[in-house]
Amino acid sequence: MPVLNIRIRSYYGASVPSALAVMGGIGFTILNSIIGGQAISGLTNGHLSWTYGYIHQCIIYRFLTC
């Protein structure tokens, strides 16, 4: 019975760092997309808005990660 108790604790104990890692990865991706959109806007000397650059960045990022 104690072995089962250790396994249950380790499962829940491992899920917390895993969830934090996933949230960190999502935050990192969002931040990179925003900065990439601003960079695209800056490279076009303001002809493209940040929103349009952000959308392009998300599309490019999506195809590169597949």
Side-chain angles (χ1 to χ4, degrees), residues 4 14 17 21 24 26 35 46 58:
L4 179 62
I26 290 170
I35 292 173
C58 289

Side-chain angles (χ1 to χ4, degrees), residues 57-66:
Q57 181 68 20
C58 289
I59 291 170
I60 291 169
Y61 189 74
R62 174 70 178 133
F63 285 118
L64 289 177
T65 57
C66 285

Side-chain angles (χ1 to χ4, degrees), residues 5-61:
N5 193 10
I6 292 171
R7 288 182 184 166
I8 290 173
R9 285 185 186 162
S10 65
Y11 171 76
Y12 289 115
S15 63
V16 173
S18 298
L20 290 174
V22 168
M23 287 188 286
I26 290 170
F28 185 73
T29 302
I30 291 170
L31 185 63
N32 280 339
S33 296
I34 291 171
I35 292 173
Q38 291 176 352
I40 290 173
S41 176
L43 287 174
T44 60
N45 293 326
H47 292 296
L48 295 176
S49 68
W50 287 6
T51 306
Y52 193 68
Y54 173 72
I55 292 170
H56 273 127
Q57 181 68 20
C58 289
I59 291 170
I60 291 169
Y61 189 74

